[in-house]
Amino acid sequence: MTEEFANPLAAIPATGKILGLDLGTKTIGVAISDGMRYSATPLETIKRTKFTADAIRLDELIAQNNVVAIILGLPLNMDGSEGPRVQSTRAFARSLAQRITLPIAFWDERLSTSAVTRMMIEADMRRDRRAEVVDKLAASYILQGALDRLRN
């Protein structure tokens, strides 16, 4: 078993804010932890264009919020295997790692979007509003899972 899966959060510093990312083909959902790392809060949704433009926006968010690490949702298949989306997520992480010095950790994001969508439907949120916020809420869901693991 690789170190990444034995303890995917091993490289995360002990203190400081963490940025959570839900990488989609059209958008990047962004969430941030509080300084004490108790909760993840949805921050924004970045409309994807070219990698460089996306990375510049992430650079800005990292600087504005004094971020010390990034948690990137890893879209594994339901059986735990890796498909094309995992490959593109890893490629994005490699490209991002060439631009920033922060540790980037992967976190299993299976069911995050469906769980968030189910919560929004139960809250009677309109479909158009759900579409606007689902990615940043999914990022928050992913980040919260990692924060909970870091505390335990």
Side-chain angles (χ1 to χ4, degrees):
M1 182 182 282
T2 65
E3 175 60 23
E4 175 188 328
F5 290 108
N7 182 2
L9 305 176
I12 303 295
T15 60
K17 292 181 181 179
I18 302 172
L19 209 62
L21 304 179
D22 178 35
L23 197 64
T25 54
K26 297 179 181 163
T27 62
I28 302 171
V30 184
I32 191 157
S33 74
D34 63 297
M36 298 296 290
R37 297 188 179 168
Y38 287 114
S39 63
T41 304
L43 193 60
E44 72 176 63
T45 300
I46 299 170
K47 273 268 194 235
R48 292 192 73 178
T49 54
K50 290 186 166 67
F51 173 78
T52 303
D54 301 343
I56 287 170
R57 182 61 189 141
L58 290 172
D59 290 341
E60 292 167 355
L61 292 172
I62 289 165
Q64 289 167 4
N65 295 286
N66 299 315
V67 170
V68 299
I70 294 175
I71 301 289
L72 187 54
L74 196 63
L76 298 169
N77 293 324
M78 289 309 291
D79 65 0
S81 64
E82 297 188 5
R85 289 188 59 225
V86 168
Q87 293 169 3
S88 66
T89 299
R90 289 190 190 283
F92 181 89
R94 282 192 300 275
S95 297
L96 189 60
Q98 293 174 359
R99 295 180 55 97
I100 63 171
T101 57
L102 304 179
I104 300 171
F106 296 104
W107 190 254
D108 183 351
E109 71 165 42
R110 280 179 284 186
L111 300 178
S112 61
T113 301
S114 61
V116 167
T117 301
R118 192 169 43 253
M119 286 186 295
M120 290 187 298
I121 289 169
E122 288 172 7
D124 205 26
M125 188 179 286
R126 290 189 336 261
R127 183 184 302 268
D128 59 335
R129 181 72 180 126
R130 289 196 309 259
E132 289 173 19
V133 300
V134 68
D135 298 310
K136 65 183 177 181
L137 288 174
S140 180
Y141 187 90
I142 292 162
L143 179 55
Q144 189 64 56
L147 293 175
D148 293 346
R149 169 68 70 83
L150 283 167
R151 273 199 313 279
N152 294 332

